[in-house]
């Protein structure tokens, strides 16, 4: 991380963007770090977040505009200067409440202070931003000329064209656009109420008293959608009455439906949300073994279990693809939330959209191997749940159907929930603009008795 203390929202946003470029930091982690260092809260913190996420969410479109106003090719612009110019253009073109003079002058100041820029570079940045400001003020911004709707949506919403075309083929063009739009929309913080400690209504009143605006999820009463502050900094979170978790993740635990006294195995558990939700459904009775391949992630699960008051969670360092003979046929419930492309959570981690497609090609084989290995841990008559935070069919339905073809001792289990209705084939793909959840996939299977 950059070893400086930001003084303003724009500095916090710029430092976050620099950290993403130079250190591979996630946007949410970098922003949280610099907001804490700056001590920003309220409107200043909200502005820093909007500038950070908005710049990342619209990177492809901002680069398109930058090419229209810059005399220098983007590859020739230093990474920090490029990040600042993107953030400046975002304010000038896509935000309507920031005066143009402030966007230009503050961005130029960032270039001068933090980009190791000489006078020529500072003048270049100033000229680019002034051209853009003049065009925006005159209503003369250049208009993209795209050959078809998929390429237009890819540019308009800054999603890679291959992904938009894949979504269009899988869901239809209208839903593909809705997915892109949802990925760039402001997303409330989703918290799940720990019903071992409080009730949804009591938790809502407590969070509202702390200054948050709280809306219950339309189909999941234990999920509260919060805006206007950091829910994880409040006593309700610290003392374990709520925990940060999306409705889709909580739904996977609800579909698994472990009962008090069950033996549960969460094979890819970090950061622990589904383990926590299952342990709470079990009222702290029985056992939940939460596995991960990283020790530091297991420590986070342990801390979360202690905060929520869940004595029945035990963590184990274990690769989900590596067999454990002593676990064979011992679990009433096995949950496999496998490594995936993450393309269902772009609205929360906007940089995921820029992953190279070649790096995702091997995922279905890995997912299939994990599912096949972990299925052996399910006792006869037990439940196996497969889930991902992606919406690509090749990582979801295709993996499950291939598994069922190869394992006659397993069958899909119909289930229903108000979030998505009846699922006769045991499978559900959740979409942000349809279900008010992250993009997610859940399949419920049962081993024949």
């Amino acid at each position: 991380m950059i070893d400086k203390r930001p003084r303003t929202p724009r500095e916090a946003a710029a430092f976050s963007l620099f950290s993403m470029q130079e250190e591979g930091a996630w946007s949410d982690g970098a922003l949280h770090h610099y907001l804490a260092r700056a001590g920003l809260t309220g409107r200043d913190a909200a502005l820093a977040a909007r500038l950070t996420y908005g710049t990342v969410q619209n990177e492809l479109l901002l680069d398109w505009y930058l090419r229209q106003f810059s005399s220098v090719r983007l590859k020739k612009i230093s990474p920090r200067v490029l990040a600042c110019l993107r953030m400046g253009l975002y304010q000038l073109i896509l935000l309507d409440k920031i005066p143009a003079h402030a966007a230009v002058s503050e961005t130029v100041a960032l270039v001068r202070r933090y980009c190791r820029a000489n006078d020529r570079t500072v003048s270049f940045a100033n000229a680019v931003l002034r051209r853009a400001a003049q065009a925006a003020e005159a209503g003369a911004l250049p208009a993209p000329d795209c050959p078809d709707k998929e390429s237009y949506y890819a540019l308009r919403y800054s999603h890679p064209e291959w992904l938009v075309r894949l979504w269009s083929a899988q869901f239809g063009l209208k839903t593909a656009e809705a997915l892109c739009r949802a990925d760039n929309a402001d997303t409330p913080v989703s918290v799940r109420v720990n019903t071992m400690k409080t009730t949804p209504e009591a938790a809502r009143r407590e969070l509202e008293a702390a200054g948050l605006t709280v809306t219950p999820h339309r189909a999941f009463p234990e999920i509260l959608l919060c805006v206007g502050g950091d829910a994880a900094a409040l006593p309700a979170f610290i003392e374990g009455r709520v925990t940060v978790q999306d409705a889709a993740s909580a739904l996977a635990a609800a579909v698994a439906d472990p009962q008090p006294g069950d033996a549960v195995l969460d094979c890819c558990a970090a950061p622990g949300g589904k383990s926590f939700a299952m342990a709470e459904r079990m009222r702290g009775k029985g056992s939940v073994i939460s596995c991960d391949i990283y020790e530091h992630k297991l420590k986070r699960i342990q801390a979360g279990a202690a905060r929520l008051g869940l004595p029945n969670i035990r963590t184990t360092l274990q690769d989900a693809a590596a067999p454990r003979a002593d676990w064979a046929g011992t679990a009433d419930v096995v949950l496999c939330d496998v490594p995936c492309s993450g393309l269902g959570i772009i609205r929360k981690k906007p940089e995921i959209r820029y992953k190279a497609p070649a790096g995702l090609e091997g995922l279905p084989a890995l997912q299939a191997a994990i599912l096949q290995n972990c299925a052996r841990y399910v006792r006869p008559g037990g439940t196996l749940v497969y889930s991902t935070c992606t919406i690509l069919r090749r990582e979801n339905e295709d993996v499950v159907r291939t598994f069922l073809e190869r394992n006659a001792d397993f069958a899909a289990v119909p289930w229903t929930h108000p979030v998505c209705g009846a699922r006769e084939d045991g499978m559900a793909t959740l979409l942000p603009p349809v279900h008010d959840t992250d993009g997610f996939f859940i399949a419920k299977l049962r081993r024949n008795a």
Side-chain angles (χ1 to χ4, degrees):
M1 293 288 184
I2 299 170
D3 190 23
K4 291 182 181 293
R5 179 180 179 274
R7 299 167 298 176
T8 68
R10 287 182 177 83
E11 288 188 355
F15 289 6
S16 299
L17 296 172
F18 298 163
S19 291
M20 293 174 64
Q21 287 180 331
E22 298 166 13
E23 301 154 24
W26 287 106
S27 55
D28 55 350
L31 179 62
H32 181 78
H33 172 79
Y34 288 112
L35 288 179
R37 291 206 67 180
L40 297 179
T41 58
R43 294 178 62 182
D44 285 344
L47 176 58
R50 180 81 321 262
L51 295 179
T52 302
Y53 292 130
T55 301
V56 178
Q57 288 167 341
N58 295 281
E59 183 175 306
L60 299 181
L61 179 61
L62 295 171
D63 283 356
W64 184 87
Y65 278 116
L66 186 53
R67 292 186 186 96
Q68 316 308 309
F69 296 114
S70 172
S71 59
V72 178
R73 289 189 300 168
L74 268 59
K75 290 184 178 180
K76 297 291 186 179
I77 302 174
S78 73
R80 286 196 179 187
V81 174
L82 183 58
C84 290
L85 288 175
R86 287 168 176 161
M87 190 168 73
L89 287 179
Y90 174 65
Q91 296 169 74
L92 291 169
I93 296 172
L94 298 177
L95 292 183
D96 58 7
K97 294 184 179 180
I98 294 181
H101 66 85
V104 173
S105 62
E106 293 294 334
T107 302
V108 171
L110 291 172
V111 171
R112 180 182 292 110
R113 291 172 188 159
Y114 302 114
C115 298
R116 297 182 285 274
N118 56 29
D119 289 344
R120 182 177 179 181
T121 300
V122 173
S123 296
F124 160 75
N126 184 63
V128 168
L129 294 170
R130 288 192 178 279
R131 289 189 203 110
Q134 290 167 2
E137 185 177 2
L141 288 170
D145 183 16
C146 300
D148 56 29
K149 288 187 176 180
E150 284 91 349
S151 58
Y152 173 74
Y153 294 149
L155 179 59
R156 169 64 183 84
Y157 299 109
S158 289
H159 282 60
E161 192 170 322
W162 69 265
L163 181 57
V164 176
R165 294 191 183 280
L166 189 60
W167 284 350
S168 181
Q170 183 171 328
F171 301 110
L173 185 59
K174 183 177 180 180
T175 298
E177 184 196 6
L179 286 167
C180 292
R181 191 187 318 115
D183 283 343
N184 286 7
D186 289 336
T187 303
V189 175
S190 175
V191 301
R192 182 180 54 77
V193 178
N194 180 0
T195 57
M196 292 179 64
K197 290 192 172 186
T198 189
T199 65
E201 183 56 34
R204 178 182 181 179
R205 290 196 301 268
E206 180 179 3
L207 294 171
E208 288 178 336
L212 301 186
T213 299
V214 182
T215 304
H217 189 279
R218 60 174 177 78
F220 208 136
E222 294 83 12
I223 298 295
L224 304 177
L225 306 177
C226 306
V227 297
D230 184 3
L234 299 176
F237 177 88
I238 296 168
E239 297 168 10
R241 290 182 289 280
V242 301
T243 193
V244 176
Q245 186 175 28
D246 187 77
S249 173
L251 180 58
V255 170
D257 194 26
Q259 300 301 303
D262 276 354
V264 175
L265 184 60
D266 190 350
C267 296
C268 308
K274 286 177 283 296
S275 286
F276 303 152
M278 289 190 292
E280 289 170 26
R281 292 180 72 87
M282 297 160 67
R283 312 311 293 175
K285 300 176 181 178
S287 66
V288 177
I289 299 177
S290 302
C291 307
D292 201 81
I293 59 174
Y294 297 108
E295 189 69 46
H296 71 278
K297 292 186 177 182
L298 295 180
K299 291 179 179 178
R300 287 183 60 190
I301 295 174
Q302 293 164 3
R307 177 175 59 82
L308 293 164
L310 302 171
N312 56 332
I313 291 180
R314 177 166 61 89
T315 58
T316 299
L317 194 68
Q318 177 66 31
D319 184 345
R324 283 279 299 261
D326 57 319
W327 287 353
T330 62
D332 297 291
V333 175
V334 172
L335 175 61
C336 292
D337 188 71
V338 297
C340 70
S341 59
L343 296 171
I345 56 172
I346 292 174
R347 64 180 189 155
K348 292 180 178 175
K349 292 183 180 292
E351 59 269 41
I352 287 177
R353 74 187 75 190
Y354 304 120
K355 285 183 175 181
L360 309 179
E361 292 175 358
L363 284 170
L366 172 62
Q367 293 156 347
I370 290 175
L371 182 59
Q372 187 66 52
N373 179 60
C374 295
R376 71 185 67 194
Y377 305 143
V378 183
R379 67 162 179 80
T383 297
L384 174 63
V385 171
Y386 174 88
S387 64
T388 72
C389 57
T390 189
I391 57 177
L392 299 187
R393 184 180 294 125
R394 67 193 185 201
E395 298 182 55
N396 294 336
E397 293 95 332
D398 290 353
V399 171
V400 173
R401 288 179 179 136
T402 299
F403 171 83
L404 290 173
E405 289 171 2
R406 296 174 178 174
N407 296 269
D409 56 332
F410 280 86
V413 180
W415 54 274
T416 187
H417 193 279
V419 167
C420 57
R423 316 307 303 181
E424 294 302 323
D425 64 353
M427 292 182 264
T429 299
L430 306 177
L431 305 178
V434 177
H435 302 101
D436 293 331
T437 67
D438 286 340
F440 213 82
F441 176 79
I442 303 169
K444 183 174 185 177
L445 313 176
R446 179 165 291 133
R447 189 169 194 171
N448 300 332

